């Protein structure tokens, strides 16, 4: 069962149609029923962009058998509250951080009415880890959240919203909030950072893990506050940080320029992983046979979808160290679930 360190005012949370017990805890159905283990499997769901189906994604995850599922900044849809509620209903231990598309229209806090930001946060409850942490004691794992709603670059995205909800006015304050959330993690845990966008300092080419791919010449589009927090923790933290997980910067580069590097390496065996495989769903197609009245023989019509193939990035960690990372595509066709493809990143 997960224990949460709150990184935001309690007033932001409600039940979103759930019972108080469901909204305030990670119940037994979501936590693996196993004794503490030195091996942990993480399934990363990259930027969703409306490509989520609770039934089919549940089947795919049951096939992958993760201990924890990490959603790299949602970008679930343009403030798609219904989809976020569906993600909240996923019966796996999980952690989520909302992305820039999850604050697509709402630019500042409204004290007079419940806006879409409020409703998304209420749906997710403690599992939204922005400026906070979620401890999984049975796994000796802590997930620490970065700044929510990030769009990358040197400026705070949705500054009025971030200021009103989290009391953050600039990058330095944001870095301190991230650092403070992390420094309270149990010393015998290893810590994974979950952010919507990655940190600065990982390259400025268009195909680098956080490189600008939509303008000539590229540029580093990482988050300075996350980089500052991680740098400070390297000198003070007593726990291991083997992995920093994020999304936002899509694997498919703009203007047909190829694919992005989805993994990078830092000091102290730290690995940076971009999970934004977009689009994350492909369709299984089956030919449909019809009669051709002219030729008087059967011909094949345009194919109809019969199932889907869904992308995840799977990370295996042993004794606090990453041992394997693979992009996996899992097909779900009715009751049949199988691995369709795998690309080993590490």
């Amino acid at each position: 069962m997960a224990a949460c360190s709150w990184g935001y005012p309690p007033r932001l949370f409600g039940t979103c149609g759930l019972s108080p017990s469901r909204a305030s805890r990670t119940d037994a159905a979501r936590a693996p029923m196993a004794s503490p283990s030195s091996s942990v499997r993480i399934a990363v769901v990259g930027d969703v962009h409306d490509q989520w189906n609770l039934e089919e994604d549940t089947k795919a995850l049951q096939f992958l058998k993760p201990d924890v599922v990490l959603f790299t900044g949602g970008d679930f849809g343009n403030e798609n509250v219904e989809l976020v509620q569906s993600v909240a209903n996923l019966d796996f231990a999980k952690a989520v951080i909302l992305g820039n598309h999850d604050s697509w229209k709402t630019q500042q806090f409204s004290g007079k009415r419940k806006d879409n930001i409020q409703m998304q946060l209420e749906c997710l409850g403690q599992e939204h880890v922005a400026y906070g942490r979620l401890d999984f004691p049975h796994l000796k794992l802590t997930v620490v959240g970065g700044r929510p709603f990030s769009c990358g670059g040197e400026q705070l995205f949705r500054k009025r919203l971030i200021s009103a909800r989290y009391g953050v006015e600039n990058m330095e304050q944001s870095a301190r909030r991230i650092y403070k959330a992390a420094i309270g993690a149990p010393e015998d845990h290893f810590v994974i950072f979950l952010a919507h966008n990655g940190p600065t300092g990982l390259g400025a080419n268009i195909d680098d893990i956080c490189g600008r791919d939509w303008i000539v010449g590229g540029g580093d589009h990482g988050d300075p506050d996350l980089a500052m927090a991680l740098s400070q923790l390297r000198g003070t933290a007593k726990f291991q940080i083997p992995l920093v997980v994020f999304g936002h910067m899509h694997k498919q580069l703009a203007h047909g320029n190829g694919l992005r590097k989805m993994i990078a390496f830092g000091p102290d065996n730290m690995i940076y992983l971009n999970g934004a495989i977009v689009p994350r769903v492909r369709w299984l197609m089956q030919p449909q046979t019809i009669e051709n009245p002219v030729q008087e023989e059967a011909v094949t019509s345009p194919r109809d979808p019969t199932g889907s193939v869904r992308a995840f990035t799977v990370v295996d960690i042993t004794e606090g160290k990453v041992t394997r990372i693979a992009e996996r595509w899992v097909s779900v066709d009715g009751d049949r679930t199988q691995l369709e493809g795998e690309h080993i990143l590490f």
Side-chain angles (χ1 to χ4, degrees):
M1 185 174 296
C4 185
S5 173
W6 302 104
Y8 16 70
R11 72 175 185 275
L12 298 184
F13 294 91
T15 61
C16 195
L18 306 176
S19 66
S21 62
R22 179 68 181 274
S24 62
R25 64 185 176 90
T26 302
D27 59 23
R30 299 184 182 192
M33 299 299 292
S35 58
S37 173
S38 61
S39 298
V40 177
R41 170 164 287 185
I42 307 293
V44 178
V45 180
D47 297 25
V48 171
H49 291 293
D50 295 307
Q51 292 193 325
W52 170 264
N53 179 283
L54 180 58
E55 180 180 358
E56 295 199 358
D57 278 297
T58 295
K59 290 178 180 179
L61 287 166
Q62 288 171 341
F63 175 83
L64 294 172
K65 295 181 173 62
D67 297 290
V68 180
V69 183
L70 301 181
F71 291 83
T72 66
D75 267 8
F76 293 113
N78 295 339
E79 302 188 14
N80 189 336
V81 177
E82 183 178 358
L83 191 151
V84 171
Q85 176 65 82
S86 177
V87 168
N89 290 340
L90 177 70
D91 279 330
F92 278 81
K94 60 183 175 295
V96 181
I97 190 166
L98 294 174
N100 58 303
H101 279 267
D102 303 311
S103 60
W104 196 247
K105 303 173 185 177
T106 305
Q107 300 187 24
Q108 61 184 345
F109 173 73
S110 173
K112 297 181 179 180
R113 62 179 178 83
K114 184 179 289 190
D115 56 36
N116 288 336
I117 303 295
Q118 174 87 5
M119 288 190 283
Q120 289 176 98
L121 291 172
E122 288 180 354
C123 291
L124 296 170
Q126 67 175 353
E127 293 171 333
H128 184 248
V129 294
Y131 293 136
R133 76 172 197 270
L134 199 58
D135 297 326
F136 299 90
H138 66 291
L139 299 173
K140 300 296 184 183
L141 163 66
T142 291
V143 178
V144 174
R147 169 168 46 96
F149 315 123
S150 171
C151 198
E154 298 293 326
Q155 303 298 320
L156 292 178
F157 184 71
R158 295 292 183 253
K159 183 175 180 180
R160 289 180 293 177
L161 183 65
I162 293 291
S163 174
R165 290 186 177 273
Y166 300 100
V168 169
E169 302 286 347
N170 52 52
M171 288 292 181
E172 290 73 21
Q173 289 181 1
S174 182
R176 286 196 292 270
R177 286 292 302 271
I178 299 169
Y179 174 86
K180 184 178 179 180
I183 207 66
E187 292 182 10
D188 62 339
H189 284 205
F190 65 92
V191 173
I192 293 176
F193 274 78
L194 177 62
H196 180 53
N197 189 47
T200 54
L202 301 181
N205 294 326
I206 63 170
D207 64 342
D208 281 329
I209 194 167
C210 292
R212 290 187 179 92
D213 57 309
W214 59 92
I215 59 174
V216 176
D220 188 342
H221 199 58
D223 284 354
D225 50 347
L226 182 57
M228 286 186 281
L230 290 170
S231 178
Q232 188 175 4
L233 284 165
R234 288 191 193 101
T236 57
K238 297 181 180 180
F239 45 73
Q240 293 175 286
I241 308 175
L243 186 66
V244 179
V245 180
F246 50 89
H248 185 54
M249 308 296 282
H250 296 180
K251 179 178 180 179
Q252 183 69 50
L253 298 176
H255 312 305
N257 284 326
L259 301 177
R260 182 179 305 280
K261 300 170 186 174
M262 301 298 278
I263 190 171
F265 301 91
D268 302 322
N269 297 315
M270 184 183 294
I271 293 178
Y272 301 92
L273 176 63
N274 184 342
I277 304 167
V278 180
R280 65 172 295 265
V281 175
R282 301 170 183 166
W283 301 106
L284 292 172
M285 311 297 282
Q286 179 175 328
Q288 180 182 8
T289 300
I290 61 174
E291 295 296 325
N292 187 315
V294 176
Q295 298 179 355
E296 295 184 352
E297 62 184 21
V299 298
T300 300
S301 73
R303 297 183 298 174
D304 296 319
T306 63
S308 64
V309 186
R310 317 184 84 81
F312 303 85
T313 307
V314 178
V315 183
D316 291 313
I317 300 175
T318 303
E319 300 292 347
K321 294 184 179 180
V322 176
T323 55
R324 192 173 190 270
I325 301 176
E327 176 185 318
R328 289 185 172 180
W329 290 84
V330 178
S331 66
V332 181
D333 189 1
D335 293 329
R336 190 179 75 171
T337 306
Q338 65 183 27
L339 184 66
E340 289 290 331
E342 181 179 70
H343 174 55
I344 306 297
L345 298 178
F346 175 78

